[in-house]
Amino acid sequence: MSKRIKILKTYKIFIDGKFPRTESGRYTQLKKDNIPLANVCLSSKKDIKNAVLSARNAFESWSNKSAYNRSQVLYRIAEMLEGNKNQFLEELILQGVDSKKAILEIDQSIDRIIYFAGWADKINPIFGSVNPVASSHFNFTILEPMGVVAIVAPEDSSLLGLISSIIPVIVSGNTTVSIASEKLPLCAISLAEVISNSDVPNGVVNIVTGEKEELAPHLAQHMDVNALGLNLENKVLKDKMVFEATNNLKRVVDISQYNIQESEFEAPYIVKNFMEAKTTWHPIEKDFTSSNKY
Amino acid sequence: MKLHLKTKVDKLGIDDRVSRITKRSLKSEAKFQGLKMILSMIDLTTLEGMDTTKSVEQLCYKATHLHKELPDLPNVAAVCVYPNMVKTASNFLKDCEVKVASVATAFPSGNSSIEVKIQETNEAISNGADEIDMVISRGKFHSGEYNYVFDEIATIKESCGNHARLKVILETGELGDYDHIRLASEIAIKAGADFIKTSTGKIKSAATLPITLVMLEAIKDHYYTTGKMVGMKPAGGISNSKLALQYLLLVKETLGNLWLDKHWFRFGASSLANDVLMQILKQKTGFYQSNNYFSKD
């Protein structure tokens, strides 16, 4: 019998639940020891535009789902990832991680999804409040998702880093556009496949690959992006992003200030960082002047 | 006059022509000019059962104040409303060049007697409508009563006289194949339509590029035989700039520059204007825009 020819995977990008090639048609070849590993899309400004549009369209229904339901959907990603461990193991090793560390990274990634999935219906009970006011109002504060959040994923942690950047953002009802690690993009697209096969609605997670320096500023300038979650070592690019973000007063969260590798990352504050507080003054009958209570 | 299916439309040719148009794209300055031209050709439309005088006034305001951060913009061509809103719109727009278009003749079905249709048309005109968008009787058309359809259009045209321009809505989504759309176009043109228009916007199947091309070809043939120009108005489903620019290309390459004017070409649309505004601002600033910063219409 003749030798079987291996079927190589085509790594595309993830927009609106689909896997298109980049609109620009540009590719770069990923190599290891001069052996080609894969062709990776060099996405363009138009891919960014399409991704933001898809995230915007997905926002209303995703943010209106019950928190409990979002929690279930995220849990499902973890389930799917658990069943696809081998693929990620292979890719992490291809990208230069030793096998022990790779196994650890995958387990940590799955656990992290489970951890943040649990916060979906607990964020508001913890951080929301009923506020004492000196008038006849029932005054309360709740946290709401911000809208479309653009994420620049960390360079050196291709799976755990991306998951840790996306999951705490979408758990509250935001939708995302992420730029994957430039050097290590393989896991990002495989993660997109896992997400696509789980119950996450189209457009909630969008992932593009390519050059950060080219792509990231477009996200910072885009008027329909509400917040940025940045993992950037390049100081010049980071400053540029922060500057451009002022255009429509985007919130900028520096995710790299948290240590993604460690379990201390697992805290609700990162979720809260991508939410907006809304305070409501609800008139009530009580006439506070006649009582000594507020 | 004998009206029957005589012009066979080359379906493959039409589809091929359109597929070549859609593969092209306009860039930079040409795109910018095209976008401004689209704005000037829009019939800003609200045809909802829940229209109120306030919502129509809001639409009229939008028609004359597209986006204050962009001062050099043209106004839209017209606002298009139901007959009972014509007075509201024409009062609001009396001092500016934005026209008031009114649908009439038992829009959108057209299922009413000719007397009622004449009455409705006259009322819209006396209330200040500059343009009448009538629907043809599709039921009669399918029964082969082409002369009835012709006479009805001619009668309404007579009511319009010199007071209003007449747009004839074929409702192409209910007519069947290209041959029938071509026939309906010919009937409307011969009966005196100033414009032929694709759709009411009330059924799922609305304007498409191939259907528009079929109608443009009918206009062209009429122009070659009689020297008379007829306008074209695709309506429904045209909600983004890219698609609207493709319509402009189609018109320019089928009928030429004479038709690139709001007097001869219109877009019936409600959400197109904001998308064009966002594209214009994108051209100017280099940033992609958000719907949040534009007035709802």
Side-chain angles (χ1 to χ4, degrees):
Chain A
M1 208 175 93
S2 61
K3 195 172 170 245
R4 186 175 172 274
I5 299 169
K6 202 178 171 200
I7 306 289
L8 291 173
K9 178 159 139 189
T10 310
Y11 287 86
K12 291 184 262 186
I13 52 179
F14 186 49
I15 295 174
D16 202 26
K18 299 180 192 74
F19 290 90
R21 293 180 163 81
T22 167
E23 165 276 341
S24 66
R26 300 176 305 174
Y27 287 88
T28 179
Q29 198 169 56
L30 214 62
K31 284 182 181 167
K32 192 192 177 192
D33 307 330
N34 266 336
I35 301 163
L37 291 183
N39 285 331
V40 176
C41 290
L42 285 178
S43 307
S44 67
K45 187 175 159 183
K46 276 201 180 160
D47 296 316
I48 294 280
K49 176 187 86 172
N50 293 339
V52 172
L53 187 67
S54 132
R56 172 58 60 199
N57 291 340
F59 176 69
E60 194 184 335
S61 94
W62 178 241
S63 58
N64 280 331
K65 284 193 190 309
S66 72
Y68 176 65
N69 187 213
R70 276 200 304 275
S71 181
Q72 288 176 307
V73 170
L74 295 197
Y75 192 93
R76 177 91 180 129
I77 303 177
E79 279 179 15
M80 298 298 289
L81 199 53
E82 183 83 34
N84 280 280
K85 274 181 167 177
N86 282 341
Q87 186 185 356
F88 288 93
L89 188 61
E90 205 174 292
E91 280 168 354
L92 283 171
I93 292 170
L94 265 182
Q95 293 181 141
V97 182
D98 80 60
S99 64
K100 256 192 184 158
K101 278 193 178 154
I103 292 171
L104 183 71
E105 179 168 351
I106 294 167
D107 287 346
Q108 230 180 332
S109 301
I110 296 169
D111 292 350
R112 194 150 285 179
I113 299 173
I114 301 290
Y115 173 82
F116 281 108
W119 275 107
D121 54 0
K122 297 171 192 73
I123 280 289
N124 262 313
I126 301 287
F127 293 108
S129 58
V130 173
N131 312 312
V133 288
S135 65
S136 51
H137 289 91
F138 178 57
N139 182 295
F140 58 96
T141 301
I142 54 166
L143 296 183
E144 292 185 335
M146 299 190 70
V148 176
V149 179
I151 290 167
V152 181
E155 260 317 294
D156 44 10
S157 171
S158 64
L159 181 63
L160 182 62
L162 184 60
I163 284 181
S164 303
S165 304
I166 292 177
I167 302 296
V169 174
I170 62 174
V171 67
S172 61
N174 293 303
T175 56
T176 57
V177 176
S178 305
I179 305 176
S181 165
E182 202 172 316
K183 288 180 302 196
L184 314 169
L186 298 187
C187 289
I189 298 307
S190 297
L191 176 67
E193 286 163 3
V194 165
I195 289 173
S196 160
N197 287 340
S198 57
D199 299 328
V200 181
N202 295 347
V204 172
V205 176
N206 299 276
I207 301 175
V208 298
T209 55
E211 291 177 6
K212 285 182 177 168
E213 210 158 328
E214 181 197 349
L215 299 175
H218 294 304
L219 286 171
Q221 290 166 346
H222 202 305
M223 297 292 279
D224 216 13
V225 169
N226 302 98
L228 301 175
L230 303 182
N231 295 275
L232 276 171
E233 285 140 38
N234 180 340
K235 176 95 173 45
V236 180
L237 181 56
K238 191 163 159 183
D239 288 348
K240 187 178 166 129
M241 298 283 284
V242 173
F243 176 75
E244 299 280 13
T246 54
N247 254 322
N248 67 339
L249 307 179
K250 289 178 188 69
R251 183 179 297 177
V252 181
V253 180
D254 185 359
I255 304 179
S256 64
Q257 66 177 301
Y258 305 99
N259 192 345
I260 280 180
Q261 313 294 336
E262 302 299 322
S263 61
E264 72 198 38
F265 184 85
E266 291 170 6
Y269 303 101
I270 176 101
V271 179
K272 181 173 173 261
N273 267 338
F274 290 98
M275 298 184 82
E276 192 77 74
K278 181 173 85 179
T279 295
T280 303
W281 296 72
H282 185 74
I284 50 176
E285 263 183 50
K286 182 172 178 177
D287 178 6
F288 80 102
T289 53
S290 66
S291 105
N292 56 2
K293 290 178 190 159
Y294 77 84
Chain B
M1 188 182 338
K2 186 137 174 47
L3 298 163
H4 57 90
L5 272 177
K6 56 175 189 288
T7 315
K8 293 291 282 179
V9 177
D10 172 12
K11 184 171 183 305
L12 292 177
I14 292 280
D15 292 344
D16 180 56
R17 184 84 196 91
V18 166
S19 84
R20 273 182 285 151
I21 290 270
T22 55
K23 285 196 187 90
R24 289 160 46 182
S25 75
L26 285 175
K27 297 285 181 212
S28 58
E29 185 55 25
K31 180 176 179 187
F32 189 64
Q33 295 303 332
L35 291 170
K36 279 177 128 175
M37 185 180 275
I38 292 167
L39 280 183
S40 76
M41 291 170 164
I42 290 177
D43 280 5
L44 210 56
T45 303
T46 181
L47 296 168
E48 302 295 334
M50 59 182 179
D51 285 345
T52 62
T53 51
K54 287 290 169 207
S55 73
V56 169
E57 280 172 4
Q58 167 70 28
L59 190 82
C60 294
Y61 184 84
K62 167 106 185 165
T64 48
H65 304 76
L66 280 171
H67 195 58
K68 67 170 191 278
E69 284 165 45
L70 293 164
D72 307 327
L73 292 180
N75 283 335
V76 299
V79 295
C80 183
V81 295
Y82 268 120
N84 62 338
M85 291 296 166
V86 168
K87 219 170 212 167
T88 308
S90 67
N91 279 340
F92 197 99
L93 297 169
K94 61 176 177 281
D95 296 325
C96 68
E97 58 171 32
V98 177
K99 307 271 191 224
V100 178
S102 169
V103 294
T105 71
F107 180 93
S109 72
N111 287 338
S112 187
S113 71
I114 186 68
E115 289 77 19
V116 170
K117 292 181 182 183
I118 294 170
Q119 164 76 17
E120 196 183 12
T121 307
N122 288 340
E123 210 175 289
I125 292 171
S126 66
N127 282 338
D130 305 299
E131 298 169 359
I132 296 293
D133 289 30
M134 73 170 287
V135 290
I136 65 167
S137 300
R138 279 88 74 195
K140 297 284 186 193
F141 183 84
H142 283 302
S143 322
E145 296 180 49
Y146 302 134
N147 283 314
Y148 182 95
V149 177
F150 181 97
D151 291 344
E152 198 173 59
I153 299 169
T155 309
I156 300 297
K157 172 68 187 169
E158 212 169 288
S159 300
C160 291
N162 297 322
H163 310 293
R165 294 181 84 203
L166 178 66
K167 304 192 197 111
V168 178
I169 305 171
L170 308 181
E171 193 65 307
T172 51
E174 292 181 350
L175 292 187
D177 60 12
Y178 291 172
D179 293 346
H180 285 87
I181 292 168
R182 168 76 192 210
L183 173 63
S185 307
E186 285 173 6
I187 292 173
I189 291 169
K190 288 196 175 118
D194 296 303
F195 267 88
I196 50 176
K197 173 175 168 183
T198 57
S199 322
T200 59
K202 292 290 170 200
I203 62 167
K204 214 169 186 186
S205 159
T208 65
L209 285 163
I211 285 171
T212 304
L213 181 54
V214 170
M215 292 166 69
L216 289 173
E217 290 286 351
I219 292 173
K220 183 166 80 177
D221 290 343
H222 183 71
Y223 180 65
Y224 281 160
T225 45
T226 66
K228 284 188 189 133
M229 289 170 76
V230 175
M232 173 73 204
K233 176 179 172 185
I238 308 166
S239 57
N240 70 67
S241 314
K242 193 178 169 188
L243 184 57
L245 284 168
Q246 289 169 351
Y247 275 94
L248 283 190
L249 272 179
L250 201 62
V251 175
K252 182 176 162 63
E253 302 209 344
T254 313
L255 296 173
N257 289 345
L258 268 181
W259 266 265
L260 289 181
D261 186 292
K262 64 180 175 185
H263 199 70
W264 298 112
F265 192 76
R266 296 283 178 82
F267 290 101
S270 48
S271 55
L272 175 62
N274 269 3
D275 193 71
V276 175
L277 290 172
M278 278 164 58
Q279 282 295 321
I280 289 178
L281 210 57
K282 154 76 175 46
Q283 294 285 106
K284 285 208 162 174
T285 61
F287 307 158
Y288 287 117
Q289 300 298 313
S290 163
N291 230 334
N292 285 340
Y293 305 99
F294 294 84
S295 62
K296 303 247 189 309
D297 44 18

